[in-house]
Amino acid sequence: AQTVTQSQPEMSVQEAETVTLSCTYDTSESDYYLFWYKQPPSRQMILVIRQEAYKQQNATENRFSVNFQKAAKSFSLKISDSQLGDAAMYFCACFTGANSKLTFGKGITLSVRP
Amino acid sequence: EPEVTQTPSHQVTQMGQEVILRCVPISNHLYFYWYRQILGQKVEFLVSFYNNEISEKSEIFDDQFSVERPDGSNFTLKIRSTKLEDSAMYFCASSEDVGLAAAYEQYFGPGTRLTVT
């Protein structure tokens, strides 16, 4: 079984600034994938970024990047040049093939100040 | 771009009634999932489905729940006798293939908000 922990319930960032959202996870599997999902007020789940555990290089998608620390089981999301549209709930999630499901953290509410 | 669709977007039902939530996964996908999210809480796995049978289910997925792929396109979640605590957003998701490398990326539908009164 795996667990995903997001200990910060809320964060706020000034528009155009950078913010980092924290996530830790635990799994006994050697092959797994990590994700950040964005959930705006519409409640649609939108994939932001993915990281394969076997890859050492941190994933990057435009303004979004991760800091993947495998030994520490840490997977933080960095949002650069924050925009008002980034305001949403962000969920960290882990997937392993062993049980074919995504395990989500509790989420963090990000607000962006104009 | 192909997407997962769900109907209805919002369902209101009385306690004890049966509801069926419908999903149309992406056409070439083989793995299907249901998740739920009680308002203000995290997204929880309910069940995964592959090759016309349940692959895995959570402890939430009790005898009141069932899933079915009645034809080549729809994937349904049935709750036989709804309870107040079933009120939640229900998300359908699908992924492409059985191998880990392809199966990991799950595409989510927009969700169905179920309200049990």
Side-chain angles (χ1 to χ4, degrees):
Chain A
Q2 59 254 23
T3 59
V4 177
T5 303
Q6 294 178 255
S7 55
Q8 307 156 301
E10 296 178 353
M11 284 200 76
S12 180
V13 64
Q14 189 75 37
E15 194 176 4
E17 296 295 306
T18 295
V19 64
T20 298
L21 311 182
S22 301
C23 173
T24 59
Y25 64 94
D26 192 17
T27 177
S28 56
E29 299 296 321
S30 56
D31 286 328
Y32 56 91
Y33 296 78
L34 298 166
F35 304 87
W36 279 96
Y37 280 88
K38 172 184 178 180
Q39 188 180 46
S42 67
R43 299 190 75 182
Q44 171 87 50
M45 295 292 286
I46 302 165
L47 178 64
V48 175
I49 197 164
R50 72 177 78 86
Q51 173 79 44
E52 294 88 340
Y54 62 85
K55 288 188 177 179
Q56 293 185 336
Q57 187 173 9
N58 289 323
T60 299
E61 280 291 334
N62 302 313
R63 297 184 295 109
F64 299 88
S65 61
V66 299
N67 183 5
F68 175 46
Q69 302 289 325
K70 191 170 183 178
K73 294 186 176 177
S74 168
F75 181 62
S76 60
L77 174 69
K78 186 171 84 171
I79 306 174
S80 304
D81 185 26
S82 297
Q83 299 175 1
L84 295 177
D86 295 333
M89 193 88 164
Y90 286 82
F91 291 94
C92 178
C94 178
F95 175 90
T96 75
N99 50 29
S100 302
K101 67 179 184 184
L102 279 167
T103 300
F104 287 85
K106 288 186 177 181
I108 179 169
T109 300
L110 177 68
S111 57
V112 181
R113 305 185 302 275
Chain B
E1 187 176 330
E3 58 184 18
V4 177
T5 59
Q6 290 185 243
T7 54
S9 57
H10 190 191
Q11 173 89 46
V12 181
T13 189
Q14 289 191 323
M15 193 167 54
Q17 295 297 303
E18 175 184 286
V19 293
I20 297 176
L21 309 183
R22 291 182 167 80
C23 169
V24 179
I26 295 173
S27 61
N28 65 332
H29 285 189
L30 298 177
Y31 263 114
F32 313 115
Y33 306 83
W34 284 102
Y35 293 84
R36 80 170 186 190
Q37 184 186 29
I38 295 171
L39 186 63
Q41 298 187 23
K42 68 177 178 180
V43 179
E44 300 173 291
F45 169 78
L46 291 178
V47 66
S48 61
F49 190 86
Y50 169 70
N51 200 24
N52 285 318
E53 60 183 29
I54 291 174
S55 300
E56 181 160 349
K57 58 184 181 179
S58 70
E59 59 274 10
I60 302 167
F61 195 87
D62 61 22
D63 291 344
Q64 292 299 312
F65 291 87
S66 62
V67 289
E68 192 179 29
R69 189 154 162 81
D71 53 42
S73 59
N74 289 284
F75 178 52
T76 61
L77 174 69
K78 181 194 288 187
I79 309 174
R80 288 191 184 81
S81 178
T82 50
K83 308 187 212 66
L84 294 176
E85 53 265 36
D86 293 327
S87 294
M89 194 77 159
Y90 288 81
F91 292 102
C92 173
S94 68
S95 62
E96 186 174 352
D97 205 347
V98 301
L100 181 64
Y104 68 81
E105 186 157 355
Q106 295 180 25
Y107 293 80
F108 281 77
T112 292
R113 183 184 300 178
L114 177 65
T115 302
V116 183
T117 61

